Amino acid sequence: MKLAIISSSMAHLLLLHVPARLVLRTQQQGFVHQQRGVREELGKRKSSSFSSSSSLNTISPSLMDVINHHPAMSVLLSDNFRPRSRLKETHKYLFEGRRENHETYLFDELALVACTTGVVCRKELLETFAAATLIHAKFSHVKRMADLAAGHGLLSWFLLVMDHHDCKDNDNGENDNDNDDDDRTRITSHDSTIRVQTRPRTVVCVDRRMPASADAIASAMIDRFPELEERWSYIQSDLTAVVPHPSCLLTSVHACGTLSDLLIEMAIGTSGGLEDQNAGAVTGAPLAIVPCCHTVKECNGYRPHHLSGMDVKEVVTLVEKRKQRQKHAKHEAVADVVDEVRCQTLRNAGYDVEEVMLPETFTGRNRLLLGKATVAAPLEGGAIINLFGAGRSGKESSHYFFQRQPIRQGGARGTVPPPNLIRIPLADDHDSIAHCHAISGRKSTAAI
């Protein structure tokens, strides 16, 4: 479905406040009519796609259409609106007046909240919404998520709102049909999986410091979505305090450098992704990360996971070979090889792995890695497949390769307690969620 492209003269008008409003209003009716019925069509495509291959790549372009073809994009992606330019109250006109269009409703609502805060830049809005859309599409059934190295927590709120929107749609559909209510009661009484999937999502953010911008975003989101306040928490802590669980998705947008490798190791776990390999019980945590600031330098703390079947020298060799093959894109060689090693690590740990690309116009670091544990990792002594296609012994024990940074101690604002005084359980159960709420916020962690 192609939308009319805004002419350059019209785009020029969009940069002026009063004419821009008129232009956007003029385009709105046509945009609404063109998008009508897209949600129903997309729902059918998502259903058929996930039932066959669970692949996002076949539907990700359609998922991105909501923002790629949004009338405001001509302003947001113009040369006059820099990627780091913050959205302010004066930009609200870009997202108003289209609420009857269900396809852009969520984006418009979240963008309006971002404008209210004054702390969200254009780049963050677009890349975070795109990542959250794909993560939610892949893991819509997961009701506990952890936004690690969360920064101001924008991703966590987007994931909460998307689930909240889906729950409201489901409730409205059930209220429209009495038979649906009966079916729901019958199914939930016999199938715990369906019952779990109808629960609202909860999200916990973890970072070494909770910035003031996180407060601003949380306040604005709670004002707009007050029912989400009890489903969100923010814990100031080093990531070494996190206790992963297979019921909780580990996620991070732009996990810098070796932080992505740490998150992969956290997801896999020290037992190779399984609590009881002989019994075949899957315990690896699901994972969704957007890596950035790739490095293969040992001085920066890089070491490939032992399940990759490679060492640093072998990875560096692959990078140099890749640079020779893609001489016009040498800067991409490090990122491509490092992420390939990460994907191979997850596959060797028994994960299904999928790579999906965010729109490059939103961010240059646009690779989203999605992983879900399905089978056992290689047993001790078993062969591990690396990117050279060779096997290597799996006798090495799992190790933390991430270079830990020292934790500042004390009671000052923005500091975190020593790691031995705090643990962050991520299991999707009442006690773990309650514990996270109890230690959430600056005052709570400082008092521990």
Side-chain angles (χ1 to χ4, degrees):
M1 183 181 299
K2 296 183 179 179
L3 301 179
I5 300 176
I6 302 174
S7 67
S8 58
S9 59
M10 195 172 291
H12 178 72
L13 287 175
L14 285 169
L15 299 177
L16 305 176
H17 285 288
V18 176
R21 295 174 186 268
L22 296 176
V23 172
L24 287 173
R25 297 296 185 272
T26 303
Q27 295 170 346
Q28 179 186 339
Q29 289 184 345
F31 183 79
V32 170
H33 285 301
Q34 288 172 315
Q35 288 292 314
R36 188 166 295 164
V38 168
R39 183 178 178 84
E40 181 179 352
E41 177 186 349
L42 182 57
K44 293 178 181 177
R45 293 173 64 180
K46 286 175 65 176
S47 176
S48 60
S49 174
F50 283 118
S51 62
S52 58
S53 63
S54 298
S55 174
L56 273 182
N57 285 298
T58 56
I59 63 168
S60 58
S62 296
L63 291 173
M64 294 298 100
D65 280 351
V66 174
I67 41 181
N68 279 332
H69 297 155
H70 195 286
M73 287 302 106
S74 58
V75 176
L76 296 178
L77 298 179
S78 68
D79 293 337
N80 291 21
F81 208 111
R82 296 182 178 180
R84 296 291 180 183
S85 298
R86 293 184 178 183
L87 295 165
K88 301 178 181 178
E89 292 277 353
T90 53
H91 298 120
K92 282 188 172 181
Y93 74 93
L94 294 169
F95 312 103
E96 292 174 335
R98 282 181 297 277
R99 297 189 182 184
E100 68 271 29
N101 179 3
H102 198 55
E103 277 304 298
T104 63
Y105 174 79
L106 272 183
F107 179 67
D108 289 329
E109 284 293 293
L110 293 171
L112 288 171
V113 174
C115 292
T116 300
T117 67
V119 300
V120 179
C121 68
R122 181 211 82 180
K123 177 178 182 291
E124 290 173 319
L125 172 69
L126 298 181
E127 69 189 12
T128 304
F129 185 86
T133 298
L134 295 170
I135 293 170
H136 178 67
K138 181 72 174 181
F139 297 103
S140 60
H141 62 286
V142 177
K143 296 303 179 179
R144 181 65 170 166
M145 296 185 173
D147 185 2
L148 304 178
H152 51 213
L154 192 65
L155 176 65
S156 66
W157 285 109
F158 283 12
L159 291 170
L160 272 181
V161 172
M162 288 176 182
D163 178 76
H164 176 62
H165 184 262
D166 283 356
C167 289
K168 286 177 63 177
D169 280 353
N170 291 336
D171 290 341
N172 291 337
E174 287 162 2
N175 292 334
D176 291 340
N177 191 330
D178 291 338
N179 292 331
D180 287 343
D181 288 329
D182 294 337
D183 290 342
R184 185 186 182 200
T185 301
R186 177 176 57 81
I187 292 173
T188 56
S189 63
H190 291 85
D191 191 334
S192 60
T193 300
I194 300 298
R195 175 171 50 81
V196 169
Q197 290 179 354
T198 59
R199 291 189 298 107
R201 178 177 292 159
T202 60
V203 180
V204 57
C205 297
V206 183
D207 209 333
R208 295 169 59 83
R209 184 180 68 85
M210 182 178 179
S213 57
D215 288 317
I217 292 174
S219 296
M221 287 289 181
I222 291 170
D223 285 344
R224 176 61 188 87
F225 306 99
E227 58 272 41
L228 301 184
E229 182 174 7
E230 296 303 316
R231 305 178 195 172
W232 183 85
S233 56
Y234 197 117
I235 301 174
Q236 291 190 130
S237 171
D238 186 73
L239 294 185
T240 54
V242 170
V243 182
H245 192 271
S247 62
C248 178
L249 174 74
L250 308 183
T251 184
S252 184
V253 170
H254 288 170
C256 285
T258 54
L259 176 58
S260 292
D261 300 299
L262 172 62
L263 298 182
I264 289 173
E265 181 160 10
M266 290 173 61
I268 293 173
T270 57
S271 62
L274 295 175
E275 183 176 43
D276 184 353
Q277 294 184 9
N278 294 329
V282 176
T283 59
L287 181 72
I289 56 173
V290 178
C292 74
C293 304
H294 300 73
T295 182
V296 291
K297 295 180 179 180
E298 288 186 272
C299 62
N300 291 337
Y302 177 73
R303 263 184 250 168
H305 194 283
H306 79 279
L307 286 178
S308 69
M310 304 182 70
D311 58 28
V312 177
K313 291 182 179 180
E314 290 173 323
V315 176
V316 171
T317 298
L318 282 180
V319 169
E320 294 305 318
K321 290 182 178 179
R322 188 66 57 86
K323 286 181 178 179
Q324 293 299 318
R325 293 210 312 263
Q326 51 190 56
K327 294 183 179 181
H328 299 292
K330 290 185 177 182
H331 62 286
E332 298 176 359
V334 175
D336 291 343
V337 170
V338 169
D339 284 342
E340 286 171 12
V341 172
R342 289 165 174 165
C343 289
Q344 190 61 46
T345 296
L346 288 166
R347 292 187 183 101
N348 285 339
Y351 275 68
D352 277 342
V353 184
E354 188 170 2
E355 297 180 55
V356 186
M357 308 304 286
L358 308 180
E360 196 169 3
T361 52
F362 299 169
T363 175
R365 303 301 184 187
N366 62 334
R367 182 182 287 112
L368 172 63
L369 305 182
L370 304 159
K372 180 181 179 182
T374 57
V375 296
L379 297 176
E380 290 296 318
I384 296 173
I385 304 301
N386 60 30
L387 293 184
F388 291 109
R392 172 172 294 180
S393 172
K395 290 182 179 180
E396 306 167 61
S397 61
S398 181
H399 60 276
Y400 283 110
F401 54 86
F402 186 74
Q403 300 299 309
R404 314 287 187 189
Q405 298 182 20
I407 298 177
R408 295 180 297 162
Q409 300 181 16
R413 174 173 173 168
T415 61
V416 297
N420 61 320
L421 296 183
I422 182 174
R423 285 294 178 266
I424 307 172
L426 299 185
D428 187 12
D429 59 53
H430 179 270
D431 290 342
S432 297
I433 294 173
H435 179 75
C436 289
H437 278 291
I439 61 176
S440 176
R442 295 191 183 88
K443 294 181 180 179
S444 297
T445 51
I448 294 178

